[in-house]
Amino acid sequence: MQVSSVNDVKIYNLSCGKSLPEWLSDRKKRALLKKDVGIQRRIELIQDFSMPTVSTCIKVSRDGQYILAAGTYKPRVRCYDTCQLSLKFERCLDSEVVAFEILSDDYSKLVFLHCDRYVEFHSQHGFYYKTRIPKFGRDFSYHYPSCDLYFVGASSEVFRLNLEQGRFLNSLQTDSVESCACDINPVHYLFSHGTIEGKVECWDPRTRNRVGVLDCALDSVTDNTEVEGLPSVSALRFKDALHMAVGTSTGQILLYDLRANRPLIVKDHHYGLPIKTIQFQDNLDLVLSADSKIIKMWNTETGKIFSTIEPERDINDICLYPNSGMLFTANEDPKMNTFYIPALGPAPRWCAFLDSLTEELEENPETTVYDDYKFVTRKDLENLGLAHLIGSALLRAYMHGFFMDIRLYHKVKTLVNPFAYEEYRKDKIRQKIEETRAQRVQIKKLPNVNKDLAMKLIEDDENQQIRKKKGKNLPSILRDDRFKVMFENPDYQVDEASEEFRLLNPIVSKVRLKYNDEEREGKPSDAETSDSSDDDKGWVEEVRKQRKLLYFEAKAKRKEQKKQDRETKLEPQFFEIKTGEEFRSLKMTTLEDRLKLDEKSGMLNVSDTTVGSKQLTFSLKKSDQQQKQLDAERQHQLERKKLRRAAGHLQSKPSRGRGRRPF
């Protein structure tokens, strides 16, 4: 038995161990059981629980007494009785089984869908009847109220075979080219089938009408998924009346609520392999989805992984035993695996001894092989002086180092470093001395910038040590590198005389005082107390007082500045010309000269008013491009005026000659 743990969930592989070939005689089997310890320690839960080559499908009857499995080669079906823990019967078939269904509570009524389009019926005594469907089938479901079998496959039709009348009924015509999987809801018997185009069509068997379509191919493409090609539906399973899980050929599982057209959760296996089958575990509200590589168990509400199983061989089908933690798998291997997961549920009634066996294993865990060995690297071997042992039987190469016997390691360690105990003793003494030094009075070293702020933060840190015992831990600004510049760069010095500081300081100090008082009294910092309104009035009054002081101080400064302006006398300033330079005066020093120049350029217009005064009109200087544009507009306007004058002149002339009208 092999034990593994994934996400702290113990998984027991009951099929692990050596298997004996079928062609061995009973005498040789008994001899091997006496000699081989590995065969003696194996747990054979069900005798001969295997297939000759490969197992394809596995199911449990509704009464839980029989386990049926189909496999090859040669094609056959085997039935195991859990009460006897052995094989009950074996029936060989003409072709491989694609899917089969148990119609009764036990093994008395079976239906097999073969790869050559044949549908075979078996009763308790054996083969009963065989018929053929028009197209190759891939899956089928049984509708109990009407005794109809619904077959889907390489056709756009869903074939219906009525077992009560013994004849085919009218097929359901779908919009798809092919269908891959189907299922019938166990509560309201809604029939659903998945198509190769990635859609799920839902049909009402009573009216034989389609009632809805889900586009799973579009919904399976999310931000966290990578899809290669068009996802088709490869698995389909109803959980209850409202929930349905759909598996795609690209490795996604979509959990739907039938009342919505968008999936609740999209889970990706990240292998890109088609989903083989989907099972539900109702007690823990889990989904078991399997592709050919891995079985994943995850929560239906959050999508969080509960545990995973990764067998050595590819998986063809899985079956969860009802109301238990036992899981059967059909693989690409003669042996069919049996897993027991105590976290999912108890062991079945017919193997209740597994619970006591697993409890004993958990109470007395066995030491692993690696507990007796020490892993060392090549550098460690050189330090120990054992580099010459590389390649010998005393060292086992593994990854980037070697495994060596732990007893040999301890012996060599004591020989190489005989004073290891003395060093250990000195380290312990040094730690004790440092602990006593920490209890002494320590001088607080303050930074050069923002000393007052640093003092307040140190006091807060001391209070934080007290709050840490109560379960509250707050970060410190002094030990945070992001705020290191605030205590080193003088540009970050807090100006306590500034207006912003004087307005904010009453609020900050009041909040800090209130917080410290509440911490001492044991009250939460956000509790609403009766005197909160009085505290708010207090700091509001403080802010108003500071605003008044700032107003009067600013008024006094303005008066002082005016007084200084009146007392100051303006004196002419003289500038000295450097040696070697000449003074270049302005070409036009008077206002009259500048006005004449602007008048010539068109920027100034001087005119007389009616009262005898002068009126000056200035216009901004246009750039060359703007001036060209203005000239062009003026020229265009002049040309339009000329044309209008010419047209008016022609219209005003009288017409010459009889019968002619004016132009």
Side-chain angles (χ1 to χ4, degrees):
M1 182 171 63
Q2 183 181 6
V3 184
S4 60
S5 179
V6 181
N7 288 347
D8 296 331
V9 177
K10 290 290 184 65
I11 300 171
Y12 297 89
N13 187 356
L14 306 180
S15 303
C16 185
K18 295 182 179 179
S19 59
L20 298 176
E22 291 185 353
W23 43 265
L24 281 180
S25 63
D26 295 339
R27 184 178 179 181
K28 289 186 178 180
K29 288 182 180 179
R30 288 194 297 268
L32 285 174
L33 285 173
K34 293 178 181 179
K35 295 179 182 179
D36 199 332
V37 180
I39 297 176
Q40 291 176 2
R41 291 183 177 179
R42 68 173 182 167
I43 297 178
E44 192 174 11
L45 193 63
I46 300 175
Q47 187 179 6
D48 297 332
F49 195 64
S50 61
M51 283 286 169
T53 307
V54 172
S55 54
T56 56
C57 305
I58 186 167
K59 291 183 184 296
V60 178
S61 62
R62 284 199 294 272
D63 58 4
Q65 185 178 351
Y66 302 100
I67 302 171
L68 287 97
T72 189
Y73 179 82
K74 301 179 179 180
R76 67 191 66 198
V77 59
R78 286 183 174 180
C79 178
Y80 298 91
D81 191 348
T82 56
C83 294
Q84 304 296 327
L85 298 179
S86 61
L87 179 66
K88 186 172 182 64
F89 64 83
E90 178 184 14
R91 297 173 185 171
C92 290
L93 307 170
D94 295 336
S95 57
E96 295 182 9
V97 176
V98 176
F100 75 93
E101 189 71 37
I102 306 172
L103 302 184
S104 60
D105 293 339
D106 54 5
Y107 67 91
S108 57
K109 294 180 182 179
L110 304 175
V111 182
F112 298 93
L113 176 63
H114 294 279
C115 61
D116 55 356
R117 294 191 292 154
Y118 275 102
V119 180
E120 193 169 321
F121 298 89
H122 283 228
S123 61
Q124 190 171 3
H125 67 273
F127 171 77
Y128 180 76
Y129 185 74
K130 181 190 288 188
T131 186
R132 201 173 188 182
I133 57 177
K135 300 289 183 179
F136 289 97
R138 293 174 182 169
D139 197 6
F140 72 96
S141 295
Y142 181 61
H143 187 249
Y144 284 91
S146 62
C147 300
D148 288 344
L149 283 173
Y150 289 80
F151 296 93
V152 297
S155 173
S156 61
E157 297 178 348
V158 177
F159 305 109
R160 295 191 304 146
L161 176 62
N162 187 271
L163 301 185
E164 184 179 8
Q165 302 177 20
R167 64 188 182 92
F168 283 97
L169 304 179
N170 293 332
S171 303
L172 303 179
Q173 187 64 41
T174 67
D175 294 338
S176 63
V177 179
E178 296 179 5
S179 299
C180 303
C182 65
D183 193 22
I184 294 178
N185 193 290
V187 180
H188 48 69
Y189 301 107
L190 181 72
F191 173 72
S192 299
H193 69 96
T195 66
I196 199 171
E197 294 87 359
K199 295 182 180 180
V200 174
E201 297 185 6
C202 300
W203 295 75
D204 188 355
R206 298 170 300 180
T207 60
R208 298 185 298 278
N209 293 326
R210 186 171 55 199
V211 295
V213 179
L214 294 173
D215 193 352
C216 301
L218 183 62
D219 295 337
S220 64
V221 181
T222 60
D223 297 336
N224 301 324
T225 58
E226 295 182 1
V227 178
E228 295 182 1
L230 179 65
S232 60
V233 178
S234 59
L236 187 65
R237 180 60 60 93
F238 281 101
K239 179 187 177 184
D240 49 29
L242 296 176
H243 295 91
M244 175 182 65
V246 180
T248 64
S249 60
T250 53
Q252 289 86 30
I253 302 98
L254 296 86
L255 189 63
Y256 281 94
D257 189 325
L258 295 180
R259 296 167 293 184
N261 58 356
R262 302 289 294 177
L264 301 176
I265 291 178
V266 179
K267 193 69 179 176
D268 196 348
H269 272 214
H270 299 290
Y271 277 98
L273 300 173
I275 302 299
K276 295 282 188 178
T277 182
I278 301 172
Q279 299 279 340
F280 289 99
Q281 212 280 343
D282 297 330
N283 295 335
L284 298 178
D285 203 13
L286 299 177
V287 178
L288 281 74
S289 54
D291 57 18
S292 59
K293 292 292 183 184
I294 193 170
I295 304 170
K296 288 194 176 185
M297 293 168 271
W298 45 280
N299 190 273
T300 56
E301 295 181 357
T302 61
K304 184 179 179 181
I305 291 293
F306 178 75
S307 185
T308 58
I309 301 175
E310 203 164 351
E312 296 179 358
R313 305 295 182 181
D314 290 349
I315 303 168
N316 289 327
D317 192 13
I318 65 171
C319 179
L320 184 65
Y321 195 89
N323 302 321
S324 73
M326 184 163 289
L327 181 69
F328 302 105
T329 63
N331 335 285
E332 292 288 328
D333 192 61
K335 187 184 294 185
M336 292 181 286
N337 289 334
T338 304
F339 297 96
Y340 176 52
I341 309 166
L344 293 182
R349 185 178 54 185
W350 47 272
C351 57
F353 61 90
L354 287 176
D355 289 330
S356 58
L357 182 62
T358 54
E359 287 176 3
E360 291 178 5
L361 290 175
E362 291 178 359
E363 290 175 0
N364 303 318
E366 297 182 0
T367 57
T368 59
V369 179
Y370 297 103
D371 293 340
D372 298 331
Y373 289 86
K374 174 70 176 178
F375 181 79
V376 291
T377 60
R378 189 180 291 270
K379 187 177 181 180
D380 296 335
L381 291 175
E382 292 175 357
N383 295 334
L384 296 173
L386 299 178
H388 62 282
L389 294 179
I390 297 175
S392 64
L394 297 175
L395 297 178
R396 299 286 183 180
Y398 183 76
M399 294 179 68
H400 62 284
F402 304 90
F403 274 114
M404 65 182 300
D405 195 287
I406 192 69
R407 295 170 295 178
L408 176 62
Y409 175 79
H410 287 316
K411 287 181 181 179
V412 176
K413 186 77 174 176
T414 53
L415 291 174
V416 172
N417 192 4
F419 302 103
Y421 176 74
E422 293 295 331
E423 294 177 359
Y424 172 77
R425 184 169 174 271
K426 288 179 182 179
D427 292 337
K428 283 292 183 183
I429 294 171
R430 192 180 300 110
Q431 291 177 6
K432 291 288 185 183
I433 293 172
E434 290 177 356
E435 289 177 0
T436 55
R437 285 177 180 173
Q439 298 175 359
R440 299 177 185 175
V441 178
Q442 297 180 357
I443 300 173
K444 299 175 182 177
K445 187 177 180 181
L446 298 176
N448 297 327
V449 182
N450 291 328
K451 291 184 179 180
D452 296 337
L453 179 61
M455 281 292 295
K456 291 179 182 179
L457 294 174
I458 290 172
E459 292 176 2
D460 292 343
D461 289 343
E462 292 175 356
N463 296 331
Q464 184 181 352
Q465 297 297 329
I466 301 172
R467 291 193 294 271
K468 203 180 278 185
K469 298 178 181 178
K470 300 179 182 180
K472 296 180 179 179
N473 189 8
L474 300 175
S476 176
I477 296 177
L478 288 172
R479 291 189 292 271
D480 199 335
D481 294 337
R482 295 176 297 174
F483 304 98
K484 182 173 62 176
V485 186
M486 191 169 62
F487 302 101
E488 296 177 357
N489 194 345
D491 295 337
Y492 289 89
Q493 178 67 42
V494 177
D495 187 8
E496 298 184 359
S498 63
E499 180 180 352
E500 293 82 1
F501 179 82
R502 292 176 64 180
L503 290 175
L504 289 174
N505 191 41
I507 303 174
V508 176
S509 59
K510 194 72 179 178
V511 171
R512 183 176 301 176
L513 181 62
K514 180 181 177 182
Y515 179 77
N516 293 334
D517 292 342
E518 289 175 350
E519 288 292 334
R520 293 192 199 97
E521 295 174 5
K523 297 187 291 185
S525 59
D526 56 348
E528 295 182 0
T529 56
S530 59
D531 55 347
S532 61
S533 60
D534 298 336
D535 295 339
D536 294 342
K537 290 179 181 179
W539 67 260
V540 168
E541 292 293 335
E542 289 287 338
V543 173
R544 288 177 179 173
K545 185 178 178 180
Q546 291 293 332
R547 286 186 181 279
K548 288 181 181 179
L549 290 175
L550 290 170
Y551 173 74
F552 289 122
E553 288 177 3
K555 190 174 182 181
K557 286 181 180 179
R558 288 196 296 271
K559 287 183 180 180
E560 187 67 24
Q561 186 67 29
K562 289 179 180 179
K563 185 178 179 181
Q564 290 179 2
D565 293 342
R566 286 195 298 268
E567 292 177 356
T568 53
K569 295 180 180 179
L570 297 176
E571 296 180 356
Q573 294 181 358
F574 297 95
F575 299 93
E576 184 179 357
I577 300 174
K578 295 181 181 180
T579 57
E581 292 185 0
E582 296 181 358
F583 176 72
R584 297 177 181 177
S585 61
L586 296 172
K587 295 181 180 179
M588 297 168 290
T589 56
T590 61
L591 178 62
E592 183 181 2
D593 297 336
R594 291 200 297 273
L595 291 175
K596 288 180 179 180
L597 183 60
D598 292 341
E599 189 175 2
K600 289 180 180 179
S601 61
M603 295 176 62
L604 177 66
N605 185 18
V606 182
S607 60
D608 297 331
T609 60
T610 55
V611 295
S613 59
K614 294 287 187 179
Q615 181 179 359
L616 301 178
T617 304
F618 294 91
S619 60
L620 296 176
K621 186 178 180 180
K622 306 290 184 182
S623 63
D624 296 341
Q625 186 176 0
Q626 291 175 344
Q627 191 64 36
K628 289 179 181 179
Q629 189 175 359
L630 287 173
D631 295 343
E633 290 179 356
R634 289 171 185 166
Q635 186 67 26
H636 180 64
Q637 291 176 358
L638 291 174
E639 290 177 357
R640 289 180 61 120
K641 286 180 181 180
K642 290 179 180 180
L643 288 173
R644 283 198 295 269
R645 288 174 184 172
H649 180 68
L650 291 173
Q651 289 178 359
S652 61
K653 284 184 178 182
S655 59
R656 295 181 181 179
R658 185 176 296 175
R660 286 192 178 184
R661 295 183 179 179
F663 176 72

